[in-house]
Amino acid sequence: GAVVSQHPSRVICKSGTSVKIECRSLDFQATTMFWYRQFPKQSLMLMATSNEGSKATYEQGVEKDKFLINHASLTLSTLTVTSAHPEDSSFYICSAWGAADTQYFGPGTRLTVL
Amino acid sequence: GQQLNQSPQSMFIQEGEDVSMNCTSSSIFNTWLWYKQDPGEGPVLLIALYKAGELTSNGRLTAQFGITRKDSFLNISASIPSDVGIYFCAGQGNPSGGSNYKLTFGKGTLLTVNP
């Protein structure tokens, strides 16, 4: 139980294009999901908290107009990186709030912006 | 803001050896968690600790939540090659208020096991 999937697992795009990443809770419903980014050899940094049916809450320093989050259902949250640039290249990981009152993580999405 | 100090930063051990890593915090947490992350994957929850002083085991893993709620350790006994990875501690929630959902991560301990 408590399985979270992400799609795609890796994506390469050109600078200036937008990329959408999906996060799904497969066997449970999640009213709250989270988006993290992780640079090489570093820890996970929370970008935003995604709440079903309402606006996401962004961490300080994260541009909400660049990282668009939509949590349209209890099992799906999407992160869209708009007008991506090479410095946006990173490992993006989502998580969903589930049983045991904690977060369960997806497998991550490797984004490379050329 | 809250910070977690995790040590050691890396460990290189022989198969069969025991391993210990720990985290300390300047703040109190409601819950303490230990995750393992393999390369190119998301973190996987190993152990969750909910009560101060709690000692919990999961197979060869043992973790304890400090009495002060500001620290925790993780022990791995009789290490095997598949234990290789990065281990993260994370604190969740604060009794003083604020979001109970957010996790604050340590910087990780890179474990290498030599067969």
Side-chain angles (χ1 to χ4, degrees):
Chain A
V3 178
V4 177
S5 70
Q6 278 184 245
H7 178 80
S9 58
R10 56 181 64 225
V11 56
I12 301 173
C13 69
K14 293 182 179 180
S15 184
T17 61
S18 295
V19 174
K20 180 184 285 187
I21 303 170
E22 294 185 347
C23 177
R24 294 182 185 274
S25 56
L26 298 185
D27 52 0
F28 66 103
Q29 294 182 332
T31 56
T32 305
M33 291 184 173
F34 305 85
W35 287 96
Y36 296 81
R37 65 189 299 180
Q38 185 180 31
F39 292 107
K41 297 185 179 180
Q42 293 190 20
S43 189
L44 284 76
M45 296 299 297
L46 179 64
M47 299 174 65
T49 303
S50 172
N51 301 296
E52 188 268 336
S54 64
K55 292 182 179 180
T57 304
Y58 291 81
E59 295 299 300
Q60 189 172 9
V62 178
E63 299 176 59
K64 62 180 181 180
D65 293 331
K66 180 168 184 62
F67 299 100
L68 301 179
I69 292 173
N70 185 283
H71 194 156
S73 77
L74 289 173
T75 59
L76 173 64
S77 175
T78 61
L79 168 69
T80 300
V81 183
T82 64
S83 187
H85 289 95
E87 57 265 31
D88 297 324
S89 298
S90 188
F91 194 50
Y92 291 86
I93 308 173
C94 72
S95 70
W97 183 265
D101 287 336
T102 191
Q103 298 179 31
Y104 294 87
F105 287 84
T109 296
R110 173 73 61 191
L111 171 63
T112 303
V113 184
L114 302 177
Chain B
Q2 297 176 330
Q3 293 184 354
L4 296 187
N5 298 308
Q6 185 171 350
S7 64
Q9 188 174 4
S10 62
M11 301 183 73
F12 188 91
I13 63 172
Q14 294 296 122
E15 182 178 0
E17 291 183 352
D18 297 343
V19 173
S20 183
M21 58 192 79
N22 69 84
C23 275
T24 60
S25 169
S26 57
S27 304
I28 294 173
F29 288 106
N30 289 330
T31 304
W32 209 292
L33 306 143
W34 285 93
Y35 291 88
K36 182 192 177 196
Q37 185 178 29
D38 291 328
E41 298 289 332
V44 173
L45 181 64
L46 299 175
I47 291 180
L49 302 161
Y50 301 99
K51 298 180 181 178
E54 178 181 355
L55 181 70
T56 298
S57 293
N58 178 8
R60 294 180 294 108
L61 307 178
T62 302
Q64 184 162 29
F65 196 166
I67 290 292
T68 63
R69 291 185 171 271
K70 292 184 176 182
D71 62 289
S72 176
F73 71 76
L74 173 70
N75 288 341
I76 305 173
S77 62
S79 59
I80 58 178
S82 61
D83 290 335
V84 166
I86 302 176
Y87 291 79
F88 289 101
C89 62
Q92 177 178 304
N94 187 309
S96 300
S99 171
N100 193 47
Y101 296 107
K102 287 186 179 181
L103 295 179
T104 301
F105 281 88
K107 293 187 176 182
T109 296
L110 174 61
L111 177 64
T112 303
V113 180
N114 191 30

